[in-house]
Structures are given as structure tokens and as C-alpha cells.
Amino acid sequence: MSSLPRRVKSEARALTPEELPSFLNSSSESEEEEEEWEPKSKTAKRSCLPKKNEAKTKKAAVPRPAGAKKVVKKVAVKEEMDVSLPIAPVEDNRMQLLKPKEDLGTKPKSFNQKPEVPKKMEINSFQGKTKKSLGSDEKPSTSVPVVGNQMKHEKREEAFAFDEPPSKKIKLNACPEGKPVKNLGGNKIKEEFEMNWDIVQALSEITNVEPWVCANLINLFQEENTIPFIARYRKELINNLEADALREVQQTLEELRTVAKKTHTTIQKLKKEGKLSGCLLKALLNCRTLEELDHVSAPYKTGSKGTKAQRARQLGLEPAALSLLQNPVELNLFSYIRPNTKGLASIQEVETGVQHILADIFAKDKDTMDFIRKLCQQRYISIQSTLAKVSSKSGNEKDINKFQLYHEFSCNIKNIQHHQILAINRGENLKILTVKVNIPDGVKNEFCWWCVNERWRPKQFLKPEFMKILRSSVEDAYKRLIHPLLCREFRSKLTSDAEKESVMMFGRNLRQLLLTSPVRGRTLMGVDPGYKHGCKLAIISPTSQILHTDVVYLHSGQGFREAEKIKKLLLQYSCSTVVIGNGTACRETEAYFADLIMKKYFAPLDVVYCIVSEAGASIYSVSPEASKEMPDLDPNLRSAVSIARRVQDPLAELVKIEPKHIGVGMYQHDVSQTLLKATLDSVVEECVSFVGVDINICSEILLRHIAGLNANRAKNIIEWREKNGPFINREQLKEVKGLGPKTFQQCAGFIRFNQEYIKTFCSGKKTELGSRAVLTKSGALSKKKSKPTPCAWQQPNPLDQTCIHPESYNLAMTFLSLIGGNANDIGKSDMQQKVNAVIQREGLEGAAKRLNTTVHTLQLVIDGLTQPEGYDIRTDFDKPDFKRSIVCFEDLSVGTVLTGKVENATQFGVFVDIGVGRAGLIPVRNITEAKLSKVKKRRSLGLGPGERVEVKVLNVDIPRLRITLDLIRVL
């Protein structure tokens, strides 16, 4: 037994992995535990989505030795037994130490097979059953379900929690096939940085997604699969989750990995400095958030003065503190007095030092912190904001009035809304508000009693003076360390949740805006309103070609003369639709056109107009992309072209603009810009991919937003198209430089081919090649044989115009032979009838079983075969609201019923453009499920930009230009 401590110490030198990266070392800069929480200087930045090359970097990292993992376990336990107090037993029920040693083909070990660590196996046995890997080359969307190695799903009552979002509920009965189709590789998820918690279980608990789905998603993201590809072609592996839920899982996964990476960087740093102990190692490896990591590691930062407990330990008072709890009978504090040493000069200083050490022990103990957190969950904890004294004296009155609702505000942290948190944080950053978290005194009293009588109760009788020190230590730990930490945690959690919800709201609004139904087949006149510099006009053809640009001065006394010019242009180009930007002079320009339309000035044309957001148009007009697209056009006129194209094809035009400039969010300037950009870019990629692009006519800007592609790959595709002519089928994408097998897998399903255009092109090419072959054979042109162009051997594939992925082409052809169909009949009514006949006879599940595939994959094949040619998912969304007349603000009265279009959606209500130059607000309490359309499928109980609604005016505040509306119905 005497050799055991020496063996532990010798193994401790192999604690950490070799060459750990040393970034993410920026944390809270406060050196004392009394630091205040400030929302502006965020100690925990939200992590962004993973970069496309991140997985490659992780593969190249130096692997951890197998022995290092074991040493981490042993030292975390053995050192704890040597250093910590006897009343703090080893927490083996929480030591979720990593992975069980299992071969790929073996079954998970049962509890009885490993009796020495029964509690750890609660986690490990779960891992062996649920984790799926994606290491195999088999394609899960088309392969046969493997029953023998499938995960056994345990039924749990909590799977039916009713307060969860619909997309993340665990519906076992509704999804009988809700299991991974394949055991894609082994049973373990191997992470680069190991912690004392399992990443699959942690991810499942945070996101409320089933563990097996989380395990599959970890592997899918590890293999650089994109969210659009996973959401469409790997539904059976993710239990049919939607893209929003996938993004949340991905962001949470990156946050957990960031914590693990920073934890191991901190461990490496502390080890080099000689500050790493067994207790500290265990505490660090238990951290799940950056806030917890900062709390544990703050006293050991380089350059810090050290905490009061550290200074007391340096004076040699730690044995006295431990003795007070373990063996108080033999404790004599007077023996520690050193008259000439500061901190030990008197018995009072010695007692204070012991108190500081005990307080530090209490505040770092996991059981103690778990108890106080659980206690807070059961009590009324409120957040309170008041008007700051400084701002009330010297602040801007206009800014102060903006926060009038929060001058005397208090709310339970369980009930406070996300927009209220963001508003309070903004007011605090502007030094207008003072914010604090109120924890009732009952929490402190119960906590102190529990510590003294339960958790930290001494093993032997305590003298009154020692009992006084113990009570003072508990109160000091709560007041100086635990209470500030709890307040920071509450504020940080509330802010983090509010930021995430704000970003998700922005993403939902952006998706709704990007998927606005295009207005095809019309010649449009775009108008960028203005006063002094005039209104810029641009007329574009139904194919988005610029026909004419001009400038008219409608608001400088020349309105009648300019009306003749406008009428001439409309008649010349047969244009009957005017698109007006909602910027400066929009209201006057709208009134001008509405007056002429009411007078039938443009007869015989039946002219209508609509108002469209011009957010970001001016930024785009001076961008390099706009200069490249319209080099000979003045930047002011480019904005008019952009305004017109936003109605003709909103998606193709809006992707040219930075998403955050589109302006359909809430507090977007107050949230993490990294998280915001990553989420919005992902939403754009999702929309462009799901709509699909015609590879032979789309722009480079639109192409770079397809899943799996980027700016360089899109540029290479355009260069290949210009050099070799149009693409004939999806297989030709493999010839493009930079498009490897993985990129092809991600993007192929979202790229479309117009079959009529390709057939015409190929027939003409064949005629040209035939005549060239005859001339070459007779020697009229050349003695050498000409190299065949790609079109000479490539043949068009009718399946390339569908959403069916190339990996499912064999399945699609087998299904066609089953129903007696032909690939040339895709999208026709005959195909729909044949499919319906087979499905009615065998059922969808029966047909999938017969074809050895999954229901999700077969359904995708059926959708691709039956959707009409040129099908666009945006046809189910709303079109712009065209008008012929205008309503004035003064015309409004309570009870007036109007039709409007949703302009923006927030967490507190929806803003609706009712055509009076000022958007009205429908409070969120007036939006109920009964008033929403039953036909349209909704992701959530809410409205999005572009939806047409019928509303009733509830209140009109003319001095403040505020309109309150009630939702009648969605049109």
C-alpha cells in the first residue's frame, strides 16, 4: 500500500495529451470571486457553426495515447482520495469517464460483467447501445435496414413531454421506424478532447433530442455533411428533424467542444505551472460551460494576486482547515500564530485565514453547488431593473424614454421573455438601467443549515469557537463566492437563451422572406424613391434583363411633366407592374402613382404597384458584385434594378446581400455577431438548396450558396460551363476542378437540369459532330481525328430534373419498373396515377420493404417522380401585395378592417404593413391558433414576413404614430 501514492504521482506526469492547441484562453479577466456580470463584455462567446475544413484539422491532430486516458481516470480519483476531505466522498456516480472498451462487433457489456465500476457503466452501457458512427461507405438512404445490430430503444415516460417544440418531440408511436437504419461504423463517438461527461448524453440533455439521433448527427457533422443534405437525404438517421433543430444541435455541439478544448488547454497550462492537483483536475473535467470553467480556473490565472483562500494556504493554514472538519479534537489554532507574519499575527487573523480556506472548499464542491442550484429552481428568483442614478441626471431624455417600461421592472426569471432580457441588457450597456438578480433570504438560510448539519457536518464534536468558524465560513462562502456566481450564471443563461432565440427568429423571418413566391412572366418597373436627387427608374424584362433606366423628379414641381415620360415608358415596354422601394420619399411616391392609377392615366394598361423593402439595396449597389454584374450602370440606378428583381425572383436577388442587412430581425446588433452570421448563412444555404438551381443559367453568386459549394467551386463551375458549354447531366460535375466525391455528394441533389434545353442543345451538337466526322473522313478539314467534346458521350438523364439524389437513381429505376412507368413520363399525370395505384395496393411501408429501402427514401423518390416539371416549393408561399389605391394615416379609425402584409415578426408581436406608411403591431397575445390558416403547414405558432393578413384596428395613437391591430385571419 505504501507504493500506491508514489505510483499515482508517477502517473500524474502523463495526464494531458501531447501538443494540445493553446487558443481560447480568453476568459473573465476578474481576479477575485466578487466580479460583476456585464452583458457587453461577454465572457462566453457563442460558438459559430463548424467550418468546412474543421473536420480535416481534427483528423490531422496528434492522437491521444491510450494510456493517457486511463491515467486521467486514476489521478482524478486517487488524488481526490488523498487530498480532499473524508466527508466529501468520491463521486463515482457523476464520474462519467469516457468510453467503454468494446470491439465494433461485440455487444455492450452488461452491469454484471463489470462489477468494479457499476455506476460508471450506467453511462457506458447506454453509449454502447445508442451511438452510431458513419465510418462505412454504405449509403444509409438506400440500404437495407440492419435489424440485428440496431439500437434497442428504451421506452421512457419523459419522451412524451408536452412542452417541447414539435420538431424535437420524441414520437415513438408515430415513428415506428425511428431508429438508425445502419450501424454506421462502431459503437463509440471518439472525441479529440475527453471529459468526465459523455458528449452524446450532454448534447441530448441540452437540445432535448434523442441520444441515438445526437450520436448520428455528431458523426454526420464530423464527415462534413451539410444541414440541407442531412435534412433531405438522411431523414432516417435523424428521426426526420427539421433544419432549425439540426442547427441548434450543431451549435450546441460546437459549444461543448469549445468547452472541452479550452478545458484541456487550461489543464496543460496549469500542469506546466505546477498548479494542477487531483481535485482541480476533476473539477475542470466536470465543467460543461465556459462559465463553470472560468469559475474553477479563475484563481489560478497567471498574473492574478490570488484569492483569499490561496493566500491563506500559502501561509500554511490548510492543514488547520482540514483538521477542523476531520479531527477537530486535536486542532490548536494558537500553534499557528506567528507575531511577525502578516496574516498569522493574531488568533483573529488565523481564524479568518481558516475561514477563507473553508469557504473556498465549500464553493468548489460539486455536491454543494448542485444543492444550491436545485434549491434556487424551487424558489422565486427575480430579475429587477431600475433607472440608473447617473442617467437620470445627465442622460439623453430621448434614450431614457425608450426604456420607460424597465425603469421599475421586476419579473421571475422563469417567466421573463427573451426580448425583455435583450432590452434590459441594452439599457444596462447604455448605463441607463441598473440590473440585479434577487435571491430570497430563505435560500441562504436553508443552504447554511444544510451545510452545517448535513454536507459539512464534522465527524467529531466541535468546540463553540470552532462551530462559530464553521458557520462563518458557510455564510462567507455563500455571500462572497456562491451568490455572485449564481447571479452571473442566471444572467448568462438568460442572455444566452435570449440571443439564441433572437437569432432563430431572425433565421425564420429570413427564410420566409427568401421563399417569397416569385412573380414570373411580368415586365417590371423598379422605383427607388428620392427627393433632391430624383426617383431612379429601371425596367427589367421577364428574364431579368435591363431594358431601360432613367431618373424622374416627381417631388420638385415637375410631377405632371414626368408623368408623361413614365406613361411613355410603360406603354413602350408593355409594363403594368410598378415596384416601389420603401425608403426615403416612399410615401409620396406611392401617393403619386396611386393618384395616376385612380385617374386611369396609364390606360389602356391596368397598372398596379407594390411596396418592397429596399434594405441592403444601397449597400449592394456599390459592392464589387454589383460592379461586375452591371459595370456600365450608375450605382444609384443599380438599386432600382435590385428593387425590381426582388419581386421577380426574391431568392436570386436577396442572396447577393449580407443577410444581416436585410433587416427582419430583433436586437440583431446586440447578439453574438459570429452566431448570427453563421445561422443566417446556414438559412440562406438551406433555402437555395431546397429550391434548387438550374446549373446552366444560374449566377455565380447564387451557385456559391448551394450545399457543399463555396466561392471557388462556384467559380470553377462557371468557368467549366463557359469553356465546355452547358452541363448535360449531374455526372459531369465530377469533371469540374475542386469537386471531389464529398462535394458532389452534398450538392448533386440540389442542382437541376432543364431537360428541354439540354435535348435541343445535344441534338444540335450531334448534327454538328456528324457533319464534322464526315468532313474529317474525306480529308476536307484535317487528317487528325478531332477529340470528342464532353457532349459527344454524355447523355441527359431525366432524373436530373428532380430532387432525387444520384445515390438513389438505381432505386428510382427499380421503382419505375415496379409501377410500369417510364423515366420520360416524370411529372406527368400518368406517372401520378401509376404511383397511386401501387401505393394503394401495397402501402408505402410494404413497397419500401419490397424495394429494400426506407420509407423516407422511397417517399423522396415518389416526390421526385410525381412533381411536375419546373416545380418550385416557393409557389406555396405568398406573393407581394399589389395595390391600386392608398390609405392615409388620418383615415384610420378604431374598428376599421384592412388587408396587409407581414413586414417583420418578433417575440412580442408582428408588424404589418397596412399601406399607411407606418406598420401596425399585432401583439403576440392576439395571435392564436384558431386565427391561423389550417391549410398552410407551419413550423411554429406565428406569422412570417410576406404573409397576407386581414386585421382590425384596435387603437390609433396619432401623436406617437402607433397603430395597434388585431388579427382576424390569415389570407
Side-chain angles (χ1 to χ4, degrees):
M1 294 300 291
S2 60
S3 62
L4 178 59
R6 287 197 295 272
R7 184 172 67 252
V8 171
K9 292 181 181 178
S10 63
E11 289 180 346
R13 287 193 287 271
L15 268 175
T16 53
E18 300 174 4
E19 298 178 7
L20 282 176
S22 58
F23 75 104
L24 289 172
N25 52 6
S26 60
S27 59
S28 175
E29 296 182 359
S30 57
E31 61 186 20
E32 291 289 326
E33 299 89 350
E34 297 87 344
E35 60 183 350
E36 290 295 330
W37 187 92
E38 295 183 5
K40 182 137 189 172
S41 57
K42 296 180 177 63
T43 58
K45 294 282 185 183
R46 311 320 304 169
S47 61
C48 62
L49 294 176
K51 298 180 181 177
K52 296 190 176 182
N53 59 353
E54 186 176 345
K56 296 181 180 178
T57 305
K58 290 186 177 181
K59 291 177 183 176
V62 179
R64 289 181 61 124
K69 300 178 185 177
K70 298 180 182 178
V71 174
V72 171
K73 298 182 188 179
K74 292 183 179 179
V75 173
V77 176
K78 297 293 182 182
E79 289 286 351
E80 176 70 18
M81 294 175 66
D82 290 339
V83 178
S84 66
L85 303 174
I87 50 177
V90 177
E91 304 168 33
D92 54 349
N93 60 328
R94 295 175 179 82
M95 289 288 291
Q96 305 170 6
L97 281 179
L98 314 180
K99 309 173 181 179
K101 301 176 182 177
E102 297 176 6
D103 296 330
L104 297 181
T106 60
K107 297 180 180 179
K109 296 182 180 180
S110 64
F111 291 86
N112 297 330
Q113 288 174 313
K114 241 189 151 182
E116 63 273 16
V117 281
K119 295 188 178 180
K120 293 181 188 178
M121 285 305 299
E122 292 177 9
I123 304 301
N124 295 341
S125 59
F126 149 80
Q127 294 168 355
K129 292 180 181 180
T130 60
K131 291 185 181 178
K132 308 295 168 188
S133 170
L134 294 177
S136 111
D137 295 328
E138 299 171 73
K139 298 186 172 52
S141 63
T142 57
S143 55
V144 186
V146 177
V147 180
N149 202 20
Q150 273 186 353
M151 176 195 60
K152 294 182 179 180
H153 201 334
E154 299 178 3
K155 295 183 179 180
R156 299 175 299 172
E157 292 184 3
E158 53 266 31
F160 301 93
F162 294 99
D163 57 342
E164 299 170 1
S167 61
K168 295 189 289 185
K169 273 189 178 179
I170 302 173
K171 302 178 180 178
L172 303 180
N173 297 332
C175 298
E177 74 283 359
K179 299 179 181 179
V181 173
K182 276 284 189 184
N183 255 346
L184 301 174
N187 290 328
K188 276 306 288 184
I189 301 291
K190 184 169 179 81
E191 285 295 310
E192 184 179 4
F193 302 104
E194 305 289 5
M195 301 290 287
N196 280 0
W197 38 265
D198 177 59
I199 194 167
V200 174
Q201 186 183 18
L203 192 61
S204 176
E205 291 173 357
I206 296 172
T207 60
N208 198 29
V209 175
E210 285 186 301
W212 67 266
V213 177
C214 292
N216 286 339
L217 283 173
I218 290 174
N219 287 307
L220 286 166
F221 291 138
Q222 187 75 17
E223 292 195 347
E224 300 182 11
N225 292 286
T226 60
I227 286 179
F229 176 80
I230 296 172
R232 174 169 286 183
Y233 299 113
R234 295 294 183 263
K235 291 184 177 181
E236 67 276 8
L237 293 178
I238 61 172
N239 205 15
N240 207 18
L241 288 183
E242 293 185 347
D244 284 339
L246 295 181
R247 259 188 298 275
E248 183 179 351
V249 172
Q250 189 179 43
Q251 290 165 4
T252 306
L253 175 62
E254 286 308 301
E255 291 173 8
L256 291 173
R257 283 177 171 166
T258 299
V259 173
K261 197 168 190 176
K262 188 172 181 181
T263 298
H264 281 263
T265 303
T266 305
I267 290 173
Q268 183 75 7
K269 184 178 179 182
L270 293 175
K271 181 186 174 186
K272 289 180 179 179
E273 296 174 355
K275 301 177 181 178
L276 186 63
S277 65
C279 293
L280 179 58
L281 174 66
K282 181 179 177 182
L284 289 170
L285 292 176
N286 282 334
C287 294
R288 293 199 184 193
T289 64
L290 291 176
E291 289 80 11
E292 290 183 40
L293 180 60
D294 287 338
H295 173 64
V296 174
S297 61
Y300 305 94
K301 290 180 182 176
T302 305
S304 173
K305 297 178 182 178
T307 62
K308 295 178 179 179
Q310 279 182 313
R311 294 195 288 270
R313 285 188 173 101
Q314 292 172 0
L315 294 173
L317 292 177
E318 186 170 20
L322 299 177
S323 179
L324 188 144
L325 295 173
Q326 298 175 11
N327 193 13
V329 176
E330 298 180 1
L331 178 60
N332 181 13
L333 292 181
F334 289 93
S335 63
Y336 290 90
I337 297 177
R338 302 289 184 273
N340 299 326
T341 303
K342 184 179 179 181
L344 300 176
S346 63
I347 187 63
Q348 289 79 15
E349 292 183 358
V350 172
E351 290 179 351
T352 302
V354 171
Q355 175 182 313
H356 290 159
I357 294 175
L358 290 176
D360 182 71
I361 292 174
F362 300 160
K364 298 291 174 60
D365 179 64
K366 190 174 186 300
D367 283 345
T368 303
M369 295 308 300
D370 288 343
F371 177 83
I372 188 66
R373 290 189 179 103
K374 185 176 180 181
L375 193 61
C376 288
Q377 291 176 359
Q378 302 169 356
R379 300 301 178 90
Y380 183 93
I381 311 297
S382 65
I383 185 170
Q384 179 180 347
S385 67
T386 56
L387 183 64
K389 297 180 180 179
V390 177
S391 63
S392 60
K393 296 179 181 179
S394 59
N396 187 342
E397 185 176 352
K398 185 177 180 181
D399 291 337
I400 293 175
N401 291 335
K402 289 181 182 179
F403 298 93
Q404 186 175 2
L405 291 174
Y406 304 101
H407 288 181
E408 294 293 336
F409 176 83
S410 180
C411 183
N412 189 341
I413 60 172
K414 295 180 180 179
N415 301 328
I416 192 167
Q417 301 298 312
H418 296 304
H419 67 271
Q420 293 173 328
I421 286 293
L422 295 175
I424 288 173
N425 288 350
R426 179 183 288 184
E428 187 178 29
N429 290 334
L430 296 174
K431 302 189 184 304
I432 295 175
L433 300 177
T434 300
V435 186
K436 67 176 181 178
V437 175
N438 290 327
I439 301 177
D441 293 337
V443 172
K444 174 186 174 182
N445 297 334
E446 186 172 345
F447 170 75
C448 292
W449 183 93
W450 178 82
C451 285
V452 173
N453 295 280
E454 298 288 343
R455 180 69 181 93
W456 301 103
R457 184 175 182 176
K459 291 187 174 182
Q460 299 177 3
F461 174 77
L462 273 187
K463 298 177 181 179
E465 58 269 24
F466 290 164
M467 182 59 73
K468 180 181 178 182
I469 294 176
L470 179 61
R471 289 197 179 98
S472 300
S473 300
V474 172
E475 292 181 1
D476 180 51
Y478 178 83
K479 181 179 179 181
R480 185 170 55 87
L481 303 175
I482 297 177
H483 183 274
L485 173 64
L486 292 174
C487 292
R488 290 197 301 272
E489 285 184 350
F490 289 137
R491 293 290 307 274
S492 180
K493 181 71 166 58
L494 291 172
T495 300
S496 175
D497 292 345
E499 284 189 355
K500 287 182 179 179
E501 182 58 33
S502 177
V503 170
M504 296 299 288
M505 175 70 73
F506 201 136
R508 288 193 291 268
N509 291 344
L510 179 63
R511 179 193 295 108
Q512 190 85 20
L513 192 62
L514 292 176
L515 295 180
T516 302
S517 183
V519 179
R520 303 198 184 278
R522 291 196 190 191
T523 302
L524 303 177
M525 173 185 280
V527 181
D528 185 8
Y531 291 114
K532 184 177 180 180
H533 298 289
C535 298
K536 279 67 70 178
L537 307 180
I539 299 179
I540 62 173
S541 69
T543 58
S544 292
Q545 301 298 316
I546 302 174
L547 302 177
H548 182 80
T549 58
D550 210 332
V551 180
V552 292
Y553 298 89
L554 307 181
H555 312 301
S556 58
Q558 307 177 29
F560 181 76
R561 186 177 65 185
E562 300 290 11
E564 287 293 329
K565 182 192 289 188
I566 295 173
K567 180 180 180 180
K568 182 180 177 180
L569 291 173
L570 293 176
L571 292 172
Q572 179 181 350
Y573 295 102
S574 299
C575 176
S576 59
T577 305
V578 179
V579 183
I580 304 173
N582 66 345
T584 305
C586 166
R587 185 66 179 163
E588 292 79 0
T589 305
E590 180 187 7
Y592 177 86
F593 277 95
D595 182 58
L596 294 178
I597 291 172
M598 292 297 293
K599 294 178 180 178
K600 300 188 181 300
Y601 183 79
F602 301 118
L605 295 175
D606 183 16
V607 177
V608 295
Y609 72 91
C610 70
I611 307 297
V612 68
S613 171
E614 63 176 39
S618 57
I619 297 176
Y620 166 71
S621 63
V622 295
S623 66
E625 289 82 2
S627 301
K628 182 180 179 181
E629 185 181 3
M630 298 174 279
D632 301 327
L633 213 57
D634 182 84
N636 293 321
L637 296 172
R638 291 174 189 164
S639 60
V641 175
S642 177
I643 288 171
R645 287 177 174 171
R646 290 184 183 203
V647 171
Q648 193 171 66
D649 192 346
L651 181 61
E653 189 64 25
L654 290 175
V655 295
K656 303 174 184 177
I657 301 167
E658 191 76 20
K660 65 181 181 181
H661 296 313
I662 295 178
V664 289
M666 177 190 71
Y667 292 97
Q668 60 262 35
H669 301 295
D670 295 334
V671 303
S672 168
Q673 295 303 301
T674 304
L675 176 62
L676 178 65
K677 185 180 186 305
T679 302
L680 298 186
D681 288 346
S682 178
V683 170
V684 173
E685 181 184 66
E686 172 199 341
C687 293
V688 175
S689 298
F690 285 175
V691 170
V693 299
D694 191 329
I695 189 72
N696 291 318
I697 63 173
C698 70
S699 65
E700 180 182 333
I701 297 177
L702 188 63
L703 196 59
R704 69 179 60 160
H705 290 287
I706 287 289
L709 300 183
N710 52 28
N712 289 334
R713 291 167 184 164
K715 182 181 179 182
N716 292 340
I717 290 175
I718 299 299
E719 290 177 352
W720 192 99
R721 189 175 72 187
E722 293 173 351
K723 179 181 179 181
N724 301 288
F727 288 87
I728 306 303
N729 57 35
R730 285 171 172 166
E731 286 296 319
Q732 277 187 302
L733 288 169
K734 297 179 180 179
E735 301 175 10
V736 178
K737 179 182 177 182
L739 263 71
K742 191 65 184 181
T743 302
F744 176 80
Q745 180 196 42
Q746 298 301 305
C747 71
F750 307 114
I751 289 177
R752 304 284 185 271
F753 294 79
N754 187 306
Q755 294 297 304
E756 295 299 326
Y757 171 75
I758 292 176
K759 288 177 182 178
T760 304
F761 175 81
C762 287
S763 60
K765 204 70 176 177
K766 286 179 181 178
T767 304
E768 179 184 346
L769 290 171
S771 61
R772 185 182 301 173
V774 172
L775 291 173
T776 303
K777 188 175 181 180
S778 61
L781 282 179
S782 172
K783 293 182 181 180
K784 294 182 179 180
K785 293 183 179 180
S786 60
K787 291 183 179 180
T789 62
C791 295
W793 59 273
Q794 291 283 1
Q795 296 295 327
N797 189 337
L799 294 175
D800 288 342
Q801 65 180 321
T802 70
C803 61
I804 302 174
H805 197 278
E807 67 184 12
S808 300
Y809 278 4
N810 291 337
L811 173 65
M813 298 307 296
T814 305
F815 183 72
L816 282 173
S817 63
L818 175 66
I819 66 175
N822 191 305
N824 294 323
D825 297 333
I826 292 176
K828 298 181 181 178
S829 58
D830 293 344
M831 179 68 71
Q832 182 71 60
Q833 294 174 1
K834 293 178 180 178
V835 170
N836 291 341
V838 172
I839 298 304
Q840 288 178 2
R841 184 175 68 250
E842 300 188 12
L844 190 61
E845 293 183 6
K849 186 176 181 180
R850 181 174 178 181
L851 295 170
N852 289 334
T853 187
T854 62
V855 174
H856 292 299
T857 305
L858 181 58
Q859 184 62 59
L860 191 64
V861 170
I862 292 174
D863 292 341
L865 295 176
T866 56
Q867 287 171 351
E869 186 177 357
Y871 172 76
D872 193 335
I873 63 172
R874 294 176 292 177
T875 55
D876 297 334
F877 290 79
D878 298 283
K879 292 185 177 182
D881 190 17
F882 294 102
K883 300 182 287 185
R884 292 182 175 84
S885 60
I886 189 172
V887 180
C888 297
F889 194 93
E890 292 75 14
D891 297 338
L892 294 178
S893 60
V894 176
T896 304
V897 177
L898 300 167
T899 300
K901 183 180 71 172
V902 176
E903 193 175 79
N904 192 12
T906 66
Q907 295 163 350
F908 53 85
V910 173
F911 291 96
V912 180
D913 179 11
I914 55 177
V916 297
R918 190 80 176 181
L921 174 66
I922 305 178
V924 68
R925 63 178 178 275
N926 293 340
I927 304 174
T928 60
E929 188 176 2
K931 298 178 182 179
L932 298 177
S933 173
K934 302 295 188 299
V935 179
K936 185 173 179 180
K937 180 183 176 182
R938 295 188 177 275
R939 295 175 182 264
S940 60
L941 185 62
L943 299 168
E947 294 195 65
R948 297 181 69 247
V949 294
E950 187 176 9
V951 296
K952 181 173 69 174
V953 179
L954 296 180
N955 183 40
V956 180
D957 189 348
I958 295 180
R960 303 172 72 177
L961 298 178
R962 291 182 179 177
I963 309 166
T964 305
L965 305 173
D966 183 24
L967 176 65
I968 298 178
R969 63 189 177 97
V970 180
L971 302 177

